[in-house]
Amino acid sequence: MSSAASRPTAGPFDRGHTDDLMAFLTASPSPYHAVASAASRLEKAGFHRVEETAAWDGTSGGKYVIRGGAIIAWYVPEGAAAHTPYRIVGAHTDSPNLRVKPQPDMGAQGWRQVAVEIYGGTLLNTWLDRDLGLAGRLTLRDGSHHLVNVDRPLLRVPQLAIHLDRQVNDGLKLDRQRHMQPIWGIGQVHEGDLISFVAAEAGVDAEDVTGWDLMVHAVDAPAYLGRDRELLAGPRMDNLISVHAAVAALASLAGRDDLPYIPVLAAFDHEENGSEADTGAQGPLLGNVLERSVYARGGSYEDRARAFAGTVCLSSDTGHAVHPNYAERHDPTHHPRVNGGPILKVNVNQRYATDGSGRAVFAAACEKAGVPWQSFVSSNDMPCGTTIGPITAARHGISTVDIGVAILSMHSARELCGADDPYLLANALVAFLEG
């Protein structure tokens, strides 16, 4: 049996989950599409949307809130007390990319171009010479939003030929302003052309479009890779792997009224640029939802405090698999491998929120699910990034553990993971949410 074959676990998911992840990645070229995809899956499992501006009741069942590129979903078991603790899986919907500026129409030397701004810590060179589409949302004069996805070759950021840069292979140097503006045609530049085109693609009148949140995405589809198809290549794995796994895990618990906790999905936007947004982990969205759920079930501030004190959050984000060509960049005793199961991420300087107690919670969930797991820590001379984990712990006083799937090419336009790891993560999340 090859490593690409489904591993037997105690959880409900196998390689069919990875197949579904590929569809989810394709359908989610922007945070707004990811949220819509998640909501569609939750609706099929019996969840229903509640509006933040409406009064909430204390009924049981699955519910979710959408704000922009963020979604919070939770399932209240029948008879759950107001002080029932939560089990939360936190993730984020955004990925580093190129985003359209407010005045997008530009050009030079007979080329028509689109003005873009760099979002997050993207690997710039991975966007060069790649067929690119355009997706996001349009805001109309009446305040309504319309998703748009031009999922075909539309844009390209052309690299300078080696004949005009003979030293390029000694070190590529890209100017973020001058070298990253994609082309999308030839001829004269006319103000309003791009938005008129995108509006037509969305089926709305361009004159009604007063705002937009548009971004570039690679149009090549996710694909299994390797002799035995044991690897998966695709876009936005950081962090739609976690969003997809958490949605699947939460949906699988719908109708379970024997749960000792209230399972929650918290998928935020804007993690890649610091989470400081009303839809980010530093904003009030998660706290508001959890508190309103307590109060809607007749709870008091004391119930809220009891619920939060017993709550645990798994901050699920991708981490670094050991790179065969750069093994010296990793800690010598911590070499996470693809298809080795999810990783527990540790940093004593609180770039990750994991402590010994959190490790025990995660280990118990993996043991229950029959899922292998690994540990990740950065080399002392290679400071690590951070996640929503420390933010969630500090803002809400909630015990938080950082975990995720090990990948290569993080923040590339196209990343790489093991084909088993997505469903191994999902099975661990089910066991965690069950308690």
Side-chain angles (χ1 to χ4, degrees):
M1 180 181 293
S2 76
S3 62
S6 294
R7 300 185 182 196
T9 75
F13 302 114
D14 56 19
R15 273 286 288 274
H17 174 88
T18 305
D19 294 337
D20 189 62
L21 169 63
M22 297 167 73
F24 186 82
L25 293 172
T26 299
S28 307
S30 77
Y32 314 106
H33 289 83
V35 164
S37 298
S40 175
R41 283 165 161 75
L42 291 170
E43 289 276 355
K44 291 177 181 177
F47 286 68
H48 70 273
R49 183 173 180 176
V50 294
E51 298 295 338
E52 290 186 84
T53 55
W56 292 7
D57 59 40
T59 56
S60 59
K63 307 173 185 183
Y64 66 91
V65 163
I66 291 176
R67 182 188 290 186
I71 181 170
I72 311 291
W74 64 104
Y75 180 80
V76 180
E78 184 71 36
H83 62 266
T84 302
Y86 299 96
R87 280 287 174 103
I88 305 168
V89 177
H92 65 88
T93 60
D94 60 318
S95 300
N97 56 18
L98 312 178
R99 302 206 171 188
V100 175
K101 289 183 176 180
Q103 296 182 18
D105 299 292
M106 62 174 293
Q109 307 302 320
W111 295 97
R112 298 169 66 196
Q113 295 174 276
V114 175
V116 296
E117 188 173 5
I118 311 300
Y119 178 84
T122 186
L123 284 170
L124 296 179
N125 64 296
T126 66
W127 294 91
L128 302 179
D129 298 333
R130 186 183 291 274
D131 293 339
L132 304 171
L134 195 64
R137 69 175 183 179
L138 301 175
T139 303
L140 303 191
R141 199 175 303 279
D142 62 3
S144 63
H145 300 297
H146 290 259
L147 296 183
V148 61
N149 182 12
V150 185
D151 195 31
R152 63 180 185 272
L154 176 70
L155 305 161
R156 185 180 178 92
V157 183
Q159 189 170 355
L160 188 64
I162 192 171
H163 311 82
L164 304 177
D165 185 4
R166 293 292 185 178
Q167 284 74 48
V168 64
N169 288 326
D170 297 327
L172 176 63
K173 182 69 173 177
L174 292 171
D175 184 289
R176 296 164 69 89
Q177 177 63 34
R178 293 186 296 120
H179 298 155
M180 296 305 298
Q181 309 305 320
I183 61 173
W184 74 305
I186 56 175
Q188 289 188 329
V189 176
H190 299 286
E191 184 178 351
D193 270 0
L194 181 72
I195 300 306
S196 293
F197 167 77
V198 174
E201 290 285 321
V204 299
D205 192 330
E207 293 185 355
D208 290 333
V209 177
T210 55
W212 54 85
D213 302 279
L214 299 172
M215 57 206 71
V216 171
H217 68 276
V219 299
D220 35 345
Y224 287 112
L225 185 146
R227 186 193 67 179
D228 298 319
R229 294 163 55 88
E230 70 267 49
L231 302 172
L232 177 67
R236 300 176 294 281
M237 290 183 176
D238 178 11
N239 183 32
L240 294 188
I241 285 179
S242 296
V243 175
H244 176 257
V247 169
L250 181 60
S252 75
L253 299 179
R256 287 279 304 276
D257 291 327
D258 59 335
L259 300 174
Y261 301 99
I262 295 174
V264 179
L265 157 69
F268 300 101
D269 198 356
H270 295 298
E271 190 273 347
E272 296 294 358
N273 60 4
S275 296
E276 291 186 342
D278 69 320
T279 54
Q282 297 220 48
L285 182 58
L286 176 60
N288 287 348
V289 168
L290 300 183
E291 289 179 353
R292 290 184 69 177
S293 178
V294 169
Y295 299 146
R297 283 176 282 125
S300 63
Y301 182 82
E302 180 72 11
D303 292 313
R304 179 261 187 216
R306 292 174 65 188
F308 277 44
T311 293
V312 181
C313 174
L314 288 189
S315 165
S316 183
D317 204 344
T318 55
H320 302 294
V322 62
H323 197 302
N325 298 335
Y326 302 91
E328 74 281 358
R329 302 295 182 96
H330 300 263
D331 181 85
T333 60
H334 295 79
H335 281 180
R337 300 180 183 276
V338 298
N339 288 332
I343 57 174
L344 179 76
K345 300 158 73 171
V346 177
N347 180 267
V348 295
N349 294 303
Q350 289 298 293
R351 301 293 285 174
Y352 304 133
T354 306
D355 62 10
S357 296
R359 175 189 173 98
V361 170
F362 180 62
C366 289
E367 182 178 354
K368 178 181 178 182
V371 167
W373 60 279
Q374 312 172 77
S375 293
F376 171 82
V377 64
S378 290
S379 174
N380 284 321
D381 58 4
M382 191 69 60
C384 69
T386 190
T387 68
I388 66 166
I391 296 171
T392 303
R395 177 168 181 81
H396 304 294
I398 289 173
S399 176
T400 304
V401 189
D402 272 292
I403 66 159
V405 164
I407 70 172
L408 292 181
S409 305
M410 188 184 294
H411 287 197
S412 169
R414 194 169 176 84
E415 297 162 323
L416 183 72
C417 74
D420 291 343
D421 284 328
Y423 74 81
L424 293 176
L425 172 66
N427 285 335
L429 296 185
V430 171
F432 166 74
L433 292 174
E434 286 179 326

